[in-house]
Amino acid sequence: MVTERVINNTIQLSWNASKVTDYAQDDLCPVPRAALIGIPSVMSHPNSVRRRDLRKRYATLNAGLAESDKIDFRFVFGRTNEALHKRALAEGRDVILTDRVEGLTNGKIFDWIRAARNLSYAAHPTREGVYCRKYLYIGKSDDDSVIHVPRLSKLLTHLWENNEKGESLFVGRNWDRGGRHPALKHMTGMLYLTSLDVTEWLSVSKLPLVIRPKIGEDLQFSRWIIQGNLSVTWIDRDEFHNREADGEPVSFAHRPIGEDTIVVHHCKSHRHFFKCLLRMFGDTFRR
């Protein structure tokens, strides 16, 4: 991959994709969608119920959007046993199975990065060996998060259209807002997205293979960006938050769902999950 080192010795990413022989985005390429988001999950009953309802809700929301505003989702499963794998595959074409043993600290996020990278390009309709970009951003969320797809799409489009310098972006909710714990700086797992060039770099970098501490996948992802010394702009959003009165730590990221909420997190129990849906979408979520 071609990169350029800037004054502060960070790595400025480029669009010369490492394994894509040539990249173009001309008028013959299909318009890129706003984002592709991976949602790690497991086959337990509560998670399966949430997946069912998220699929229905996200499909309904996408149906009302223009092609360029749509957001695609994939559910990502680690290795368990053959019976559970068959059950996961039977759910639909939006399932990705990895060979990594299921676990929050096993590096499954890296499997998603590589899978997302392979899903992010399509062959050019007329130019052999040339590829079109399918997405502007690649993201990760949780199956106890509820995303307002139109609001997220609007935000991502705004950031894309106003990124005059062509910076690499990292969008989410910063866990260490006050900078008091730099070793734990990361975007929280409720939802974060990077511009496609970051995913491209991580998918072929040796860094994720070398630096794989037994830490949570979201901290792991952010550390790769930090320790890779990438020139990436962190965009911290208040509209990404946990549900109100969610326990500890109460002071961080907890607020009521409002008309600006893009994602609400920690909707784990059936009661909390349907409350999140109701407060995010009103009675329309029942349809």
Side-chain angles (χ1 to χ4, degrees):
M1 178 179 234
V2 178
T3 59
E4 175 187 354
R5 290 206 176 257
V6 294
I7 294 175
N8 63 358
N9 203 39
T10 57
I11 297 176
Q12 182 69 50
L13 302 176
S14 79
W15 265 114
N16 293 327
S18 56
K19 295 181 181 179
V20 175
T21 55
D22 197 4
Y23 164 80
Q25 200 65 36
D26 57 29
D27 292 340
L28 294 179
C29 284
V31 59
R33 292 189 171 188
L36 171 66
I37 297 174
I39 304 176
S41 192
V42 295
M43 290 303 297
S44 71
H45 179 68
N47 301 78
S48 298
V49 170
R50 292 198 296 268
R51 283 195 308 277
R52 178 198 65 195
D53 290 300
L54 290 176
R55 282 188 175 104
K56 179 180 179 181
R57 174 49 36 187
Y58 294 161
T60 300
L61 293 170
N62 267 321
L65 297 176
E67 185 65 24
S68 61
D69 296 329
K70 294 181 188 295
I71 294 175
D72 289 342
F73 296 89
R74 297 291 187 275
F75 292 94
V76 185
F77 296 86
R79 176 163 55 85
T80 52
N81 60 59
E82 186 176 353
L84 290 179
H85 267 204
K86 287 181 178 180
R87 280 178 53 197
L89 287 172
E91 290 189 3
R93 298 180 63 183
D94 62 352
V95 167
I96 291 178
L97 301 178
T98 80
D99 288 329
R100 201 177 304 272
V101 174
E102 180 61 52
L104 293 175
T105 63
N106 291 344
K108 189 170 67 172
I109 186 66
F110 185 51
D111 297 329
W112 164 239
I113 291 169
R114 286 186 159 177
R117 188 265 173 199
N118 291 335
L119 292 169
S120 296
Y121 299 98
H124 192 280
T126 62
R127 298 164 61 186
E128 186 175 355
V130 176
Y131 293 81
C132 302
R133 182 179 61 223
K134 293 170 61 179
Y135 302 101
L136 302 182
Y137 298 87
I138 300 298
K140 178 267 177 187
S141 186
D142 284 339
D143 68 9
D144 64 335
S145 292
V146 176
I147 300 171
H148 196 292
V149 175
R151 292 175 192 163
L152 176 60
S153 181
K154 183 178 180 180
L155 170 65
L156 297 178
T157 300
H158 171 78
L159 293 174
W160 181 265
E161 292 177 346
N162 290 275
N163 187 10
E164 297 178 358
K165 296 181 180 179
E167 298 173 321
S168 303
L169 304 181
F170 190 15
V171 185
R173 179 77 182 226
N174 190 349
W175 184 87
D176 187 36
R177 280 191 160 184
R180 294 184 296 273
H181 308 283
L184 299 177
K185 180 181 180 180
H186 66 283
M187 293 296 195
T188 62
M190 64 178 79
L191 174 64
Y192 52 80
L193 307 101
T194 65
S195 43
L196 184 54
D197 49 4
V198 177
T199 305
E200 179 68 33
W201 188 87
L202 285 172
S203 71
V204 298
S205 170
K206 294 180 180 179
L207 186 65
L209 300 176
V210 174
I211 304 176
R212 287 172 52 192
K214 288 290 185 178
I215 58 176
E217 58 192 5
D218 306 314
L219 180 55
Q220 203 169 64
F221 184 88
S222 294
R223 279 194 180 176
W224 290 332
I225 291 177
I226 294 169
Q227 296 180 9
N229 211 23
L230 304 187
S231 179
V232 173
T233 299
W234 291 52
I235 299 177
D236 188 9
R237 305 296 304 194
D238 285 336
E239 308 97 316
F240 293 33
H241 62 86
N242 293 329
R243 63 182 179 81
E244 186 180 17
D246 189 44
E248 52 185 329
V250 175
S251 60
F252 172 72
H254 297 268
R255 48 160 279 199
I257 296 171
E259 293 183 357
D260 64 333
T261 298
I262 290 177
V263 58
V264 60
H265 187 221
H266 284 181
C267 308
K268 285 188 180 294
S269 71
H270 291 320
R271 181 171 65 89
H272 288 145
F273 183 73
F274 288 107
K275 273 190 175 182
C276 288
L277 287 172
L278 181 61
R279 291 174 180 172
M280 184 78 92
F281 304 112
D283 284 336
T284 60
F285 91 90
R286 303 177 190 274
R287 300 170 191 169

